Amino acid sequence: MGLFGSGGVSFKTAADIPSLAGKTILVTGGNSGLGKQSVLDFARYGQPSLIWLAGRNADRCQLAIDEIVPQLPSGSSTVIKPLVLDLTSFGSIRTAAQRVVTESSQLNILMLNAGIMTTPPGLTADGYEIQFGTNHVGHALLTKLLMPLLLQTAAQSKPDDLPRVVVLASMGHKTAPGGEIIFDKLKSEQLEINTLSRYGQSKLANVLFARELAKRYKGQLITASVDPGLVNTNLANPIMESMLIARLVTPVVSKIFGQSPAEGAKGQLWAAMAKEVESGEYYGPAPGKKGYTKQPEKWDALGEKLWGWTEKELEGVTL
């Protein structure tokens, strides 16, 4: 376990992932890193009926599937479908969601895993700061468009087996500027704050979004945000490419303290199925370990503001 992986509960994928027979799962960013590991473990140990492996590039999605399938048990009936999903484009998100609702009669686990970190300044296709637009706005729209399917699934589920929405967060939320979200600048490159602060506000939004979903869909969904801790993936590549000190230090830190994707994915897998999950809670970096929640009153107010802002931005975007 890495430097940030102590505490929490014991969770062993082979022993503790229950049967997921008959269930449907969607994982964004499923073609690499923690997303790919999650798809593999869901399929290998839970054997659901269908997993949507979502990613920006069709060929990379298919390549990931081709690498996962040989690792599944002999005779596995799990179907893994590639889903082209570019979270920087409302059009791509709508197309992906339309395919899911057309080809799936239920959605039991929605894992909002994809994300970008410390990228150069930029905007999404719809004009949002690139990190906030990808990490929060894109996922919020996907969730909105899939909500009817999630609620349909909830209506057919037992109270202890409601659909789950798991949002990948990060302790990086602590780098949000002043612990806030600068709402009036989200439709700009936000050059007045650095890339780490821009990343931090997107991760703060992830935590708040999970909390708000829990409040607004109580008794229908179980939600959680998860900090996986320091994991050896390619997430930090953009900052390594742009900063000499990061190029020198990050590989060393990751090698000494970082977890493998197999270890790092345990937190989000636990959140996707454990009976002990408290809806709306922030967990990590170890499975079942409650995260940083020292300002619940501030987060409640900020979460409501984020929800209202997001609803207004996504108003009228439908299938």
Side-chain angles (χ1 to χ4, degrees):
M1 189 66 72
L3 176 65
F4 305 110
S6 59
V9 300
S10 173
F11 183 79
K12 299 179 180 179
T13 50
D16 295 329
I17 293 180
S19 171
L20 300 171
K23 295 186 181 296
T24 298
I25 299 170
L26 191 157
V27 180
T28 68
N31 61 291
S32 65
L34 295 175
K36 181 181 177 183
Q37 185 67 48
S38 296
V39 172
L40 171 61
D41 288 338
F42 278 136
R44 181 164 47 185
Y45 302 119
Q47 299 190 53
S49 293
L50 172 63
I51 301 178
W52 290 100
L53 186 154
R56 287 178 294 179
N57 181 281
D59 290 340
R60 291 178 183 175
C61 288
Q62 189 58 55
L63 177 60
I65 293 171
D66 292 343
E67 292 173 347
I68 289 170
V69 169
Q71 302 179 63
L72 304 186
S74 177
S76 172
S77 60
T78 296
V79 175
I80 307 177
K81 290 186 178 183
L83 181 68
V84 175
L85 172 67
D86 182 352
L87 290 167
T88 69
S89 164
F90 283 7
S92 175
I93 296 166
R94 290 177 64 188
T95 299
Q98 184 65 63
R99 184 179 175 208
V100 172
V101 301
T102 300
E103 298 182 26
S104 302
S105 60
Q106 61 182 0
L107 182 57
N108 304 91
I109 299 172
L110 174 59
M111 182 172 282
L112 305 178
N113 166 86
I116 58 175
M117 176 183 178
T118 57
T119 58
L123 298 174
T124 68
D126 300 281
Y128 299 95
E129 189 281 315
I130 187 69
Q131 294 185 80
F132 198 88
T134 302
N135 297 345
H136 170 65
V137 179
H139 274 139
L141 177 57
L142 179 66
T143 304
K144 174 186 176 180
L145 298 179
L146 294 178
M147 188 58 71
L149 185 58
L150 287 164
L151 296 181
Q152 175 183 310
T153 305
Q156 300 168 350
S157 301
K158 296 179 180 179
D160 64 348
D161 194 28
L162 294 172
R164 304 276 177 119
V165 179
V166 179
V167 189
L168 263 288
S170 167
M171 67 177 134
H173 75 263
K174 298 178 184 180
T175 68
E180 298 283 350
I181 295 170
I182 307 175
F183 289 97
D184 62 347
K185 295 293 183 68
L186 291 175
K187 299 193 83 170
S188 74
E189 293 185 348
Q190 288 195 296
L191 299 179
E192 67 277 5
I193 59 176
N194 62 42
T195 185
L196 189 57
S197 294
R198 297 194 292 269
Y199 173 71
Q201 73 175 353
S202 76
K203 291 289 103 178
L204 178 56
N206 289 155
V207 175
L208 298 175
F209 183 63
R211 286 165 60 92
E212 289 301 308
L213 281 174
K215 294 176 186 177
R216 294 164 194 276
Y217 294 97
K218 186 176 181 180
Q220 296 173 294
L221 302 177
I222 296 173
T223 75
S225 57
V226 177
D227 167 22
L230 186 61
V231 185
N232 289 316
T233 67
N234 60 5
L235 186 62
N237 283 357
I239 195 170
M240 289 177 64
E241 292 170 0
S242 63
M243 296 175 61
L244 175 60
I245 187 65
R247 290 201 299 271
L248 296 174
V249 173
T250 301
V252 176
V253 173
S254 295
K255 184 175 181 180
I256 296 173
F257 299 118
Q259 307 168 87
S260 67
E263 283 294 317
K266 287 182 177 180
Q268 61 207 68
L269 291 167
W270 177 87
M273 60 195 68
K275 301 296 184 185
E276 299 83 3
V277 173
E278 297 178 27
S279 192
E281 185 59 79
Y282 167 46
Y283 290 99
K289 180 180 180 181
K290 290 187 178 181
Y292 179 84
T293 54
K294 293 183 179 179
Q295 297 176 301
E297 296 84 5
K298 180 178 179 179
W299 276 11
D300 285 344
L302 190 56
E304 289 185 11
K305 186 174 182 179
L306 174 68
W307 185 271
W309 179 89
T310 304
E311 286 286 286
K312 184 176 180 180
E313 293 298 315
L314 302 181
E315 189 176 15
V317 185
T318 60
L319 293 180

